[in-house]
Structures are given as structure tokens and as C-alpha cells.
Amino acid sequence: MARQLFTVEEAYAQMLSDTESASEDDDDPTFLLSTASSSSSSDDDEPPRRRRRRQAEPGAPHARDPVAHTSTSSPGARTGFLAHQISAPEPPTGELSWCPPVDYEPVIPDFAGNPGIQIPTVGFTEIDYFSFFFSDPLVNLMVEQTNLYAQQFVAQHPSSFLARPGGWTPVSAAEMRTFWGLVLHMGLVQKPSVRQYWSGDVLYQTPLYSMAMTRSRFEAIRKCLHYADNAACPPQTDPAYDRLYKIRPIIDHFGAAFAQAYIPGREVAIDESLVAFKGRLSFRQYIPTKRARYGVKLYKICESTSGYTYKFRVYKGRDSRIEPPECPPTLGVSGKIVWDLLHPLLDKGYHLYVDNFYTSIPLFKSLAARSTFACGTVRKNQRGLPTYPLQVPIPRGETRALTSDNLLLVRYKDKRDVLMLTTIHGNGITPVSVRGSTATVLKPDCIVDYNRYMGGVDLSDQVLQPYNAMRKTRAWYKKVAVYMVQVALYNAFVLCRSAGSTETFLQFYEAVLKDLIFSDRERAGRSTSGIGGQHFPGPVPHTGKKGRSQKNCRVCCKRGIRKDTTIQCDTCPDHPGLCVINCFREYHTSMEF
């Protein structure tokens, strides 16, 4: 079909006839799609009955996939993007003037970024990639603050089990790494409660945990784990009070390390992640579209292709103030969040993809002025959008578009209207195959690219979800810390893959855990369990305190028999003492031990 363009009189006559025909049947859902820009009208101007019906309609299309791929429309009737395009502009309702995009193509400069790994990685193993984020200064901080909190807790609670003789001993850096290795391993082997990891029951037995650390020691470290001095925290009435004080050192450390190690490619996405938490918290969020629904929200900017988290920001309440550098004063709160996350990447030609929570005309124009271009779904009542073209019903599979300066507004009709605002794309269309069918439909380029690049944040969360290591706790900051350590683990995996590795995330995960839990890599790789593998007896090392060195036999003591032996297993990580006859074989073949 040839492109059809109407005069101003014909266009408005067509609008009126379409609106009158739609109003004859109130059950037609397309009649409820008419909206006005927020600068001219609002839902409060509608009659109560009509407002209730509008609220009953499905909301905006899903942010991850604005177009359902089950459309059955045929592209055969359309040969151009502007078929049936209304050429008449809307009467002025704001500062912007919208017109049809006749052969519109945006001017996009070349990408000037330097993506990829920014640190030397020659000779790196899996643990070396992870140790760049989970570094010695971070571990030493955890050790210092955990020991400090244990002292403060014992002083305030003299009757606690930690105050008893042997209840608490200062934790070391090696022990802290082993503790975190066990925490991350709980994401691989998930059990109903923490104590069951040390259970001797044949249904739950996992010898790794009892060999690496006793249950009481693990619980003591988990209880005292801290990252900041509570005594130095300002009171809530102090203007300098920070709701994220308990986790602030972790946030600052990972935020700097993520940005230093890797620079994302041209396509990036901004979205939210939610750390599940249902306890009492002033800035707890409810997001029904997330798997957790309740929890601590994080804004993240990720590389669209790999899911690498470049920068993040933890939400801490509506009353928090965001003042990013060089931010235009016309931007709202959501625009300031985008500007803050994207600021290090400005002026380099990046392409940003966002959902309708962030999309706004001032933000897109401000980013375009800094050589950064954006694409995203947009709400129908967004300030500055035209009114009349959005009121005209269109058939399913059809597209309408308008431009204003460097902005392109696209309206695509699938099961419901999809509105896109972009400064990246022109008025082109792309044939897309229908899922489960050999047919194809024509979709605007901006929607095709949005579906391709918007899932960067979800990608990292989806990969980590099967290995979720967070346990139930009343301390929200402990959950956020575990989540960020796992994000660091995934980022380390992206670095490893970018350096040429072909191993899967699970293989990378396992290699890191072995090095965290057991410092001796050769021994950890050869045998990490008392059962199976090759085990060799050896003499108990001489300590100089007795005539001959001895150990209690692990098997005999388990059965209440006190018996010393001069033989130990040199292969097992904890070198248990064992009688050569019977006990050595039974220890390495029985699930009881």
C-alpha cells in the first residue's frame, strides 16, 4: 500500500469520525486508550464511572518485553513505516511541536568508549578475579569490625554464650574467607536451616562444613559479622545520619571496584533489583513484579549483553536527596537517578535503555546534549506528549509515529498500545518471527532493540537466582552484603569470560569456593571430603611437648572411647587422628563420620 498523507482538514475529520465510532460502544477497550498529557488534563477530570473502568484496564506493558510476541497481524498489507500516517500536528499544548517523521533518521556520533577489562589479568585464576573485588582490605575491614562488635556485645551482655570461656576468640582473615566460602556454598547446597549443614543425619550430612569450621564457630561469626562501628554512627536527628551506615563501607568498596575493573560496551540498561526482606525497615519497598516483592531496592546500570553491574545505588527512602554532578535542574527524581548512574559514561556515545519509570522528555534531551542516547517505554500521560494522535484507535499490528527535534515517539498496537520514546532510532521497521509459528510481523526498530538490550539487569539476577545464598535474618544489612558479594562473584565471572575462558558460571563458582574454604589449592582440588578419593596415613607431627606425638582417634571418640593414636590422615584437610586398624578405613567409608 502506498504511503497516505492527509491535509489538516482531512486529518481532524478522520479523528472526529474515529472517536465518534469508538464512543458508540463503551465495551470497546480501545476507547479507554485515549489519554491527555499531564500538562493539559488528568484522571481527576473524568467522571468516577469512567475513571474506575480505566483503572480496571491492564497497566502499562511489561518493562522487559513491551510487545507480546504472539501477535497474529500480517505484514502483507503494509509496505512502509508511515502507512496511514496522520500528517496534521496537534494543536499546541506545550513547548514541543510534533510532526510526522518523514524519512527521519537521527544523527548518532561514533562510539568513543573504551569497553572491556581495565586491569591486568595475565595469569589470573578464578580466585584471582574474585579477589580483585573481595580483596584483602575488604576482608581486613570485616575482621576488624567483627572483632570490635564482639567485644562491644560481650561487654553489654555478660551472660551471653559469647561471654563464656571459649565462647568467642578473635576471627582471623583466613577464617573470615573460610566463613564466606561456606556462606556462598550454601547457595549450591540448599537446606531448610543453617544447623542442618552440620547434621550427622544421613539425609543431610555434608562433611565439608564440619571439616572446615565447627557449627558454633560459624554461628558466632555470623552473629557478630559487622562492617562499621556502631558506636561511631551519628544519631538519627543528626543531619549527617546515613540510613545505610551499617553497610556503607561495603557499598563504597564494591562501587569503586566494579567501575575500576571493567567498562561496559555501548548498550547499557538501568533497572531495579530487589533483595528479599520482610522485616521492619523504613525504606523497605514493595514491587509486585519482582520475585521477592518485599525488600531492599537497588538501582543498577548493567551492560546489556553480559549483565555486568557497572554501578549501583541502594534506595534509602523517599526523603533522601540525590544531587548528582552536572545534573540539569529540569530533571525529576527518576531522572537524577539515571544521571547519577550514567554520569561516568556521558559524552562517549552510549545507548541507554530504560523502562517507563525513568523515561521523560527532559531526561532524553539532556542526555542527547551530552552525546548519550536513550530508548524506553513511556507512559501515556507523560508531560509534553501530544494528545490527539493518542486518542485515535488503530488496528492491531499498525504503527504511528511523531517527531520533535531529536525525539521519536512511536505508538505500536499489539494486544494493547505500546508507546516508545527514543533518540537512537529512525522510523524503520523490522520483520520479527512469531513464536511457535512461521509467520512474521513488522515491528519498529526501537521495540526490537528494546527487547534485545533491556534485560541486562535481569540477566545477572537470573544467573544468580539458582545459587541464592541469603538466609533468613532480622538484620537487613547482612542480606544486602551477601547479595553484593554474589554480584561481585558474577562480575568476576564476566571478567574471566572476557579474558577468554570458556567455563560456565557453575564451574567458576566451584573453583572460587574451593580456594576460599581451603587455602591449599592442591589439597582442595584432590579431596574436600572425608569420603571417597585416595587417603594416606602418616605420623602425627612432633610438637616438642611429649615424648611422642599423639592425637585422639576420631572414630573411637565418636563412640565414647578415649584412645590415642600416633597416626593421622595426611590427605584430609583437618588431619584427623585415626587408628590404623579398622578406624582409618571406617572413617573414610562410613557416612557416620
Side-chain angles (χ1 to χ4, degrees), residues 171-239:
V171 64
S172 64
E175 198 174 19
M176 182 62 71
R177 289 182 179 274
T178 300
F179 169 83
W180 274 103
L182 295 180
V183 170
L184 294 176
H185 188 271
M186 291 179 180
L188 292 182
V189 182
Q190 299 187 6
K191 298 183 181 181
S193 67
V194 173
R195 292 201 166 196
Q196 286 175 328
Y197 287 94
W198 282 265
S199 173
D201 193 314
V202 67
L203 295 177
Y204 298 104
Q205 191 176 36
T206 308
L208 168 68
Y209 287 84
S210 58
M211 295 166 62
M213 184 179 293
T214 63
R215 189 197 71 195
S216 59
R217 182 58 172 169
F218 180 88
E219 291 180 341
I221 297 176
R222 184 167 176 255
K223 178 178 180 58
C224 297
L225 187 63
H226 263 66
Y227 316 101
D229 184 7
N230 290 347
C233 180
Q236 295 187 9
T237 56
D238 193 317

Side-chain angles (χ1 to χ4, degrees), residues 283-302:
F283 50 90
R284 187 188 67 175
Q285 286 284 284
Y286 171 70
I287 305 179
T289 57
K290 298 293 184 181
R291 182 184 182 92
R293 294 195 302 163
Y294 291 94
V296 181
K297 182 170 66 175
L298 291 88
Y299 302 106
K300 297 165 58 177
I301 179 170
C302 298

